[in-house]
Amino acid sequence: MNNILPLKIIFLNVYHGDGIVVLFPNKEKYETAMIIDCNDGIKTYNVLKEYGIRYIEAIVISHFHIDHYKGFDILLSKLKEEKIRLKNIFYYPDRIYREGKESKIYGSFLAKIAGMASSGDFVSESNVIDGVNKEKTIYNYMNLRINLIYPRLVDITGEYKINNYSGVVEIKYKNNKVLLTGDLESEGWFKLYNFVKKYKNEESLNVDILKMPHHGAFYIRAEKAMSTREILDIVKPDYAIISTAENKKYKHPNIDTIKELRKNKIKILCTNSTSICGSNCECFGNIIVDIDDNIIIKDYDIKAQKLFCVKNY
């Protein structure tokens, strides 16, 4: 036993949205974290407080949809108030047209980040798309490497879906890999796959844990687009994490996605229950994953680990 705490990834139950906290391996106690998306600033801050985090290596905003970044306003204020140091913020300032209140929120938030950068509240402002490498390494020390693999040098001009700008994060620790994919839709997956093929980097998409894109949405095969079936054939995950909750507008996750996951014998873990769940489903709450030599799902009801609380369609 080397007395090193495992890499800990916490998928927060933030209802319909995303919120992920990554605690870096360390001796005795956790000190450093990374945050990917934040639908609930208070829940995210409470995790940092619970584990005594004093340093944020990076924040990644996968894309600018409210359910992925609305909590950052509160969180950034709490970090400053509690003197928790923040090194970098990674994001892509898309140029997709927004209307009314949404446009004001987006513009105000970008202005806040710029103001924080100029006042020295974090080390440097960094966009997801920059440089010339096939990937942008956020962190690389000991056995932990974290890369931004999309969007990189990908032509997204003319793209009208914010989801297809989603930043894709690859986490590698020892022999285990995790892929966090925001709300990347089928067209974005097509661009991502062709990009990694160009750089002979297809192995970056073959992982143990996949945070399902777009809260478990289902994609069909189309020209210059990848289906859910094709995505799973490429990624081949052992675990599928679905961050979702009952939402009348979007109805995620799609039952066809669940069927594909079951067909491929992929373990399904959801942060909350929805109408497709059985009446005795206890499959909801924060999903805590410990990664060392092996992957351990912690603090999760034993019944949920049976994976099949969703109705037997």
Side-chain angles (χ1 to χ4, degrees):
M1 189 73 177
N2 57 13
N3 295 320
I4 300 295
L5 294 170
L7 173 72
K8 189 182 292 288
I9 305 177
I10 304 172
F11 298 85
L12 293 171
N13 176 16
V14 292
Y15 300 97
H16 186 86
D18 271 16
I20 303 167
V21 179
V22 181
L23 306 180
F24 291 9
N26 199 37
K27 292 182 179 180
E28 297 182 359
K29 64 178 183 177
Y30 291 105
E31 296 177 350
T32 304
M34 174 179 167
I35 299 163
I36 302 99
D37 288 340
C38 181
N39 186 46
D40 189 321
I42 297 301
K43 277 192 175 182
T44 304
Y45 168 72
N46 285 341
V47 169
L48 302 178
K49 184 178 180 179
E50 177 185 351
Y51 288 96
I53 300 301
R54 303 306 306 166
Y55 184 79
I56 306 297
E57 179 69 29
I59 281 173
V60 176
I61 305 171
S62 68
H63 65 297
F64 287 97
H65 267 154
I66 293 297
D67 62 322
H68 287 255
Y69 83 97
K70 71 178 181 182
F72 276 120
D73 201 25
I74 291 174
L75 179 64
L76 291 173
S77 296
K78 293 293 289 184
L79 296 183
K80 187 173 183 178
E81 177 185 322
E82 298 297 327
K83 296 182 171 55
I84 298 175
R85 190 161 179 259
L86 169 60
K87 183 178 179 181
N88 270 310
I89 298 180
F90 296 92
Y91 64 97
Y92 180 74
D94 67 76
R95 293 168 178 79
I96 289 175
Y97 178 73
R98 292 169 171 83
E99 293 183 345
K101 184 179 179 180
E102 186 180 355
S103 177
K104 290 180 181 178
I105 292 172
Y106 176 62
S108 175
F109 186 70
L110 288 185
K112 179 170 185 171
I113 295 176
M116 290 179 66
S118 63
S119 64
D121 286 339
F122 54 89
V123 174
S124 63
E125 180 181 3
S126 300
N127 294 342
V128 170
I129 295 184
D130 63 353
V132 295
N133 299 320
K134 65 182 181 182
E135 59 194 25
K136 181 177 182 66
T137 300
I138 295 177
Y139 186 84
N140 186 21
Y141 183 69
M142 299 294 284
N143 293 308
L144 177 61
R145 185 182 179 98
I146 303 175
N147 298 318
L148 280 166
I149 60 173
Y150 178 92
R152 298 294 298 149
L153 307 175
V154 180
D155 183 9
I156 52 178
T157 55
E159 178 59 62
Y160 64 94
K161 290 183 179 178
I162 298 174
N163 289 344
N164 285 325
Y165 287 86
S166 289
V168 176
V169 178
E170 173 199 29
I171 300 176
K172 298 190 284 188
Y173 185 57
K174 296 188 175 181
N175 294 318
N176 300 294
K177 290 201 295 182
V178 181
L179 197 65
L180 310 173
T181 60
D183 278 354
L184 200 65
E185 294 192 33
S186 54
E187 299 93 338
W189 276 95
F190 179 83
K191 292 175 181 178
L192 166 61
Y193 182 62
N194 282 280
F195 173 69
V196 297
K197 276 179 59 179
K198 177 181 178 181
Y199 286 94
K200 297 180 171 59
N201 192 30
E202 295 101 315
E203 76 280 357
S204 63
L205 299 184
N206 185 208
V207 303
D208 301 286
I209 299 175
L210 172 64
K211 201 290 292 186
M212 290 299 288
H214 206 184
H215 318 290
F218 184 73
Y219 304 134
I220 60 173
R221 183 74 176 97
E223 185 180 1
K224 295 185 177 180
M226 290 183 67
S227 68
T228 296
R229 181 173 299 175
E230 289 170 311
I231 292 166
L232 295 177
D233 283 345
I234 291 167
V235 179
K236 296 181 174 65
D238 294 318
Y239 295 91
I241 308 290
I242 303 178
S243 183
T244 191
E246 191 67 37
N247 186 299
K248 292 181 180 179
K249 181 177 180 180
Y250 296 107
K251 293 181 173 57
H252 293 150
N254 189 296
I255 189 57
D256 288 321
T257 292
I258 299 298
K259 288 178 180 177
E260 284 296 329
L261 291 169
R262 283 184 171 175
K263 178 182 175 182
N264 286 276
K265 295 181 168 57
I266 297 167
K267 300 177 179 67
I268 306 164
L269 298 170
C270 300
T271 55
N272 213 312
S273 58
T274 68
S275 58
I276 67 171
C277 295
S279 59
N280 64 343
C281 176
E282 298 182 41
C283 181
F284 57 90
N286 297 343
I287 299 171
I288 302 178
V289 181
D290 279 1
I291 301 177
D292 200 333
D293 294 323
N294 300 303
I295 294 172
I296 300 173
I297 309 297
K298 295 181 66 73
D299 293 355
Y300 208 67
D301 191 276
I302 296 300
K303 292 181 181 178
Q305 293 188 44
K306 293 181 180 177
L307 322 174
F308 301 123
C309 61
V310 178
K311 292 176 185 175
N312 189 21
Y313 283 84

